[in-house]
Amino acid sequence: MGANSSSISELPENEYLKKLSGAEPISENDPFWNQLLSFSFTTPTNSAELKLLEEATISVCKSLVEKNPRTGNLGSLIKVFLSRTKELKISAECQNHLFIWQAHNALFIICCLLKVFISRMSEEELQLHFTYEEKTPGSYGTECEDLIEELLCCLIQLIVEIPLLDITYSISLEAVTTLVVFLSCQLFHKEILRESLIHKYLMHGRCLPYTSRLVKTLLYNFIRQERSPPPGTHVFQQQTDGGGLLYGIASGVATGLRTVFTLGGVGSKSTPQLEQCSPLAHQSLLLLLVLANLTDAPDTPNPYRQAIMSFKNTQDSSAFSSSNPHAFQINFNSLYTALCEQQRSDQATLLLYMLLHQNGNVRTYVLARTDIENLVLPILEILYHVEERNSHHVYMALIILLILTEDDGFNRSIHEVILKNITWYAERVLTEISLGSLLILVVIRTIQYNMTRTRDKYLHTNCLAALANMSAQFRSLHQYAAQRIISLFSLLSKKHNKVLEQATQSLRGSLDSNDSPLPDYAQDLNVIEEVIRMMLEIINSCLTNSLHHNPNLVYALLYKRDLFEQFRTHPSFQDIMQNIDLVISFFSSRLEQAGAELSVERVLEIIKQGAVALPKDRLRKFPELKFKYVEEEQPEEFFIPYVWSLVYNSAVALYWNPQDIQLFTMDSG
């Protein structure tokens, strides 16, 4: 057969792979490595491609797992890679393709093998495979070098020190992917890892000093969204004299993949455009999220999370706190732009949440932006298409809105931003509307969707909390937004009456039959009344703080005044109904005085005049509505499974066998 291969099916019989996984140990100085690593092969860019490759090479991997304890060939391969990387920086500067090419090929093989090893053994067993060496008599007492820590440190150095060029793009991507694979032990455990060998290496020892530089580099990879260079940029052209592992592998794999895609088989679903554009940005963001969500060590907090919590703007000249050695600076303008542009993905929304929640510098900067609509509109679009998104993505978007609405400046400014022709809002043509009114419309739509579909109390709570935070600052509400506020209250009122009627009928039925269990309508009624109370508080807050700014809300209130009759004497709502009842009575009286058959324009004019005439001291003051987002006591129970479901579903150079995964379902939601 020789060195060349005509198809992917011949990989298991390739002589170089068979020797690597065979029973004979191969010294790290053996010329074999030059032959093994001299192949021209474009790294798979999605899970379908990698699945084909993995299925073809699984027998080789299994053989290496079995033979490596006696040969130590995995360790030799890693040492070869480590030796090649020592010249990488100079090679990049000198455009020396040879070192970069062979180092990339070595790392690609290591990554493929590592994923199989991790899926089939514990970390302790993995460590043994990294330390197997051929022993000579009398050497049993000598201590083996720790290749895992050395490889991890080398990968981090490669990411932070090698300049990102066309010829280094693939090896940078492979380094990031290999770190994700190293950390993927979590996927094969039923519980969240709180003590991990890999975590220990990354959070202590030789890797620790690189923490801030790694986080900064991964952020800049996300910011830059560098596209993958054209195929062949980073490899030599096929040579005619053979030699090396599968000089013909590229054409064989390409032919095999093309057939699969043409026939609509494995991987026929197209890779998302977002991931096709910049696989390095995508993988860097995944790695950043994984690192940030590692559980704290017993004696020290997660340094990667500490770095994310404390980095500052490059324009900030204030001194760093001595208590945080991992702080650094980054260009906030570039970061803001990337966050605005990438919110279509779960990963970018999760990053935005983390930065707003944990980094006060980023939150202050975002809230001070005069183009806040560039960030808010993509978040609203996520919520608007709630039925197409997974629940985690929707939660993140809602929590981001809740965090933003904690700031009164934000609540004022969004009503000053006028938008034109919101094409994705389909219920009604919105030729001109304020960002604040659009936010209200989308949040109310989310509440109504939740009432009819998911019925999730947590989602209700966050939606209503965001509206409550905004309510005192409502300004010039669009007539449709005002109508939807009252329509939501109408829907809640009908639901309240329905449950009340069911409870009454159930009670009557229980008197006739002592054997039948009584449904727990009291709990349902209590939940609905809590939501109704919240809606009344939101309306009341707007009326008491900005009545004269919102004639459209008063108009909608008067138009549907009958809705509020039943709640006037209800013991749960009597206090909050006082102001609403006063406003309805006051403006109804003025409209009656103006006569019948009034036009809409005339009614609004009377409302505006009445808003000035209404004595403010007649309105009862209530405590200001303010809700803050508070992360639960054990947030990792939510975030770690979420992050790893994103890793599993990644379409960039990762393939995981569902049968091997023990902890997480793979639907991200």
Side-chain angles (χ1 to χ4, degrees):
M1 183 181 73
N4 293 313
S5 175
S6 58
S7 74
I8 196 170
S9 61
E10 295 182 15
L11 285 175
E13 300 303 318
N14 178 263
E15 60 179 290
Y16 297 97
L17 289 178
K18 290 178 72 173
K19 184 174 181 179
L20 174 67
S21 60
E24 294 297 321
I26 307 171
S27 165
E28 60 190 281
N29 300 315
D30 196 302
F32 161 82
W33 299 109
N34 285 328
Q35 298 171 314
L36 174 71
L37 302 179
S38 298
F39 62 87
S40 297
F41 177 54
T42 302
T43 304
T45 56
N46 61 55
S47 56
E49 294 175 10
L50 199 62
K51 181 179 180 181
L52 291 177
L53 181 65
E54 187 165 305
E55 289 174 346
T57 56
I58 192 65
S59 60
V60 173
C61 294
K62 285 181 178 179
S63 176
L64 185 64
V65 169
E66 179 185 345
K67 305 286 179 53
N68 188 65
R70 292 183 293 277
T71 66
N73 285 344
L74 175 63
S76 295
L77 172 60
I78 291 169
K79 289 176 184 177
V80 169
F81 168 72
L82 294 173
S83 68
R84 304 288 167 102
T85 57
K86 292 176 182 177
E87 305 296 331
L88 271 183
K89 191 172 183 180
I90 296 175
S91 299
E93 293 171 354
C94 300
Q95 297 285 306
N96 187 333
H97 290 238
L98 177 61
F99 275 92
I100 299 170
W101 176 44
Q102 291 201 339
H104 167 268
N105 289 349
L107 184 55
F108 174 70
I109 296 174
I110 291 170
C111 186
C112 291
L113 295 173
L114 183 63
K115 194 150 67 66
V116 174
F117 273 64
I118 284 177
S119 67
R120 295 176 180 273
M121 62 187 69
S122 67
E123 284 188 312
E124 290 74 16
E125 293 173 303
L126 179 67
Q127 188 177 31
L128 290 175
H129 275 274
F130 271 74
T131 54
Y132 286 128
E133 291 182 357
E134 188 176 357
K135 300 291 185 181
T136 56
S139 65
Y140 296 103
T142 60
E143 188 175 335
C144 296
E145 58 184 316
D146 197 332
L147 276 182
I148 293 184
E149 183 175 29
E150 193 168 349
L151 178 57
L152 286 169
C153 195
C154 177
L155 293 172
I156 293 173
Q157 289 174 333
L158 195 159
I159 293 168
V160 303
E161 293 180 352
I162 302 303
L164 187 59
L165 308 170
D166 280 358
I167 60 172
T168 61
Y169 189 97
S170 289
I171 193 170
S172 296
L173 173 60
E174 205 62 48
V176 172
T177 301
T178 305
L179 280 178
V180 173
V181 171
F182 251 122
L183 288 159
S184 66
C185 294
Q186 176 63 83
L187 282 172
F188 307 95
H189 287 76
K190 295 180 180 179
E191 303 294 337
I192 290 174
L193 287 177
R194 303 193 182 279
E195 291 186 10
S196 164
L197 179 69
I198 307 302
H199 296 185
K200 177 184 174 183
Y201 283 128
L202 288 170
M203 294 199 285
H204 296 85
R206 294 175 57 189
C207 295
L208 185 61
Y210 293 96
T211 296
S212 59
R213 292 178 65 189
L214 179 58
V215 171
K216 183 176 182 177
T217 303
L218 295 175
L219 276 173
Y220 269 126
N221 285 348
F222 166 71
I223 288 169
R224 289 171 180 145
Q225 294 290 316
E226 292 283 354
R227 293 176 177 269
S228 181
T233 305
H234 56 290
V235 296
F236 284 146
Q237 298 300 315
Q238 182 172 333
Q239 298 178 7
T240 57
D241 58 352
L245 165 65
L246 312 181
Y247 267 118
I249 190 174
S251 60
V253 171
T255 303
L257 293 177
R258 196 175 300 114
T259 302
V260 171
F261 293 147
T262 303
L263 297 176
V266 176
S268 60
K269 184 178 179 181
S270 62
T271 304
Q273 187 63 35
L274 186 67
E275 296 172 5
Q276 285 181 342
C277 290
S278 183
L280 178 60
H282 179 81
Q283 290 294 83
S284 294
L285 181 51
L286 280 178
L287 176 58
L288 182 64
L289 294 175
V290 170
L291 291 172
N293 284 281
L294 297 180
T295 54
D296 294 334
D299 55 340
T300 181
N302 178 342
Y304 301 97
R305 190 182 305 127
Q306 294 290 306
I308 287 174
M309 291 170 62
S310 57
F311 70 81
K312 301 191 302 183
N313 194 353
T314 49
Q315 296 180 350
D316 187 347
S317 58
S318 60
F320 286 109
S321 171
S322 58
S323 62
N324 190 348
H326 307 299
F328 61 92
Q329 289 182 303
I330 202 166
N331 187 307
F332 277 17
N333 183 58
S334 300
L335 176 61
Y336 180 81
T337 301
L339 288 169
C340 292
E341 292 175 348
Q342 302 301 321
Q343 287 306 307
R344 288 168 293 170
S345 73
D346 284 73
Q347 297 92 316
T349 304
L350 181 54
L351 175 64
L352 175 59
Y353 157 76
M354 287 171 49
L355 295 179
L356 288 175
H357 177 51
Q358 299 178 356
N359 190 312
N361 300 319
V362 173
R363 184 168 60 253
T364 300
Y365 177 86
V366 167
L367 291 168
R369 292 285 302 205
T370 57
D371 59 348
I372 192 68
E373 68 274 14
N374 290 341
L375 186 67
V376 175
L377 280 173
I379 298 299
L380 295 183
E381 198 168 351
I382 292 169
L383 294 177
Y384 185 80
H385 297 292
V386 58
E387 63 279 356
E388 301 171 14
R389 304 289 182 177
N390 67 71
S391 60
H392 288 168
H393 202 181
V394 172
Y395 281 142
M396 288 298 99
L398 273 176
I399 293 170
I400 287 167
L401 287 184
L402 180 56
I403 292 172
L404 293 174
T405 59
E406 291 172 13
D407 183 77
D408 284 340
F410 171 84
N411 295 330
R412 285 191 297 270
S413 65
I414 56 175
H415 293 289
E416 297 169 0
V417 178
I418 305 301
L419 308 168
K420 297 182 184 294
N421 300 318
I422 307 301
T423 55
W424 48 262
Y425 193 92
E427 275 81 355
R428 179 165 171 161
V429 176
L430 299 175
T431 55
E432 187 171 288
I433 189 172
S434 71
L435 178 60
S437 289
L438 181 63
L439 195 158
I440 293 168
L441 286 175
V442 172
V443 171
I444 287 176
R445 185 180 183 273
T446 306
I447 293 173
Q448 291 179 320
Y449 175 85
N450 186 50
M451 286 176 64
T452 57
R453 303 287 184 87
T454 57
R455 299 181 182 180
D456 187 326
K457 184 180 178 181
Y458 183 76
L459 191 144
H460 263 341
T461 302
N462 281 284
C463 286
L464 291 169
L467 288 177
N469 285 346
M470 296 168 58
S471 58
Q473 306 293 336
F474 284 172
R475 293 289 189 276
S476 303
L477 289 183
H478 191 280
Q479 61 180 16
Y480 187 53
Q483 290 171 15
R484 298 308 294 162
I485 291 173
I486 304 303
S487 294
L488 175 59
F489 185 81
S490 175
L491 185 64
L492 292 167
S493 176
K494 291 176 182 176
K495 198 170 184 66
H496 178 268
N497 292 339
K498 182 178 180 181
V499 174
L500 196 59
E501 183 181 349
Q502 289 173 336
T504 303
Q505 291 177 351
S506 176
L507 188 60
R508 287 172 182 166
S510 66
L511 295 176
D512 300 331
S513 175
N514 295 326
D515 298 331
S516 59
L518 185 66
D520 188 10
Y521 288 110
Q523 184 176 358
D524 292 343
L525 200 60
N526 184 56
V527 170
I528 294 172
E529 288 185 353
E530 284 181 7
V531 176
I532 289 175
R533 169 84 189 186
M534 191 78 157
M535 282 301 300
L536 288 172
E537 288 179 341
I538 290 168
I539 295 170
N540 177 73
S541 175
C542 177
L543 296 178
T544 55
N545 290 284
S546 54
L547 173 66
H548 58 293
H549 288 299
N550 293 291
N552 284 326
L553 182 62
V554 177
Y555 183 99
L557 199 63
L558 293 172
Y559 190 74
K560 293 285 188 178
R561 70 190 81 175
D562 294 343
L563 284 174
F564 300 89
E565 286 290 335
Q566 62 178 308
F567 300 106
R568 183 177 295 159
T569 57
H570 194 293
S572 298
F573 312 118
Q574 272 184 319
D575 59 335
I576 204 71
M577 276 300 300
Q578 289 180 20
N579 286 341
I580 297 173
D581 194 33
L582 173 62
V583 169
I584 291 174
S585 300
F586 177 82
F587 285 98
S588 294
S589 175
R590 293 181 74 91
L591 289 175
E592 288 174 4
Q593 294 173 13
E597 303 298 328
L598 299 174
S599 66
V600 174
E601 291 76 13
R602 179 57 181 152
V603 172
L604 286 172
E605 184 181 342
I606 293 170
I607 290 172
K608 291 175 183 177
Q609 293 170 353
V612 177
L614 177 65
K616 301 297 186 292
D617 56 0
R618 292 180 60 186
L619 295 173
R620 178 181 170 184
K621 291 293 183 183
F622 286 85
E624 184 181 3
L625 295 177
K626 273 299 173 187
F627 294 87
K628 293 181 71 70
Y629 168 69
V630 179
E631 199 169 71
E632 296 181 10
E633 291 183 6
Q634 290 187 311
E636 63 267 18
E637 302 294 339
F638 173 87
F639 289 104
I640 292 177
Y642 181 26
V643 168
W644 279 106
S645 67
L646 296 178
V647 173
Y648 177 90
N649 288 314
S650 169
V652 181
L654 285 173
Y655 166 71
W656 307 99
N657 189 336
Q659 296 177 346
D660 294 334
I661 308 303
Q662 297 187 27
L663 177 57
F664 307 112
T665 57
M666 299 310 142
D667 182 20
S668 290

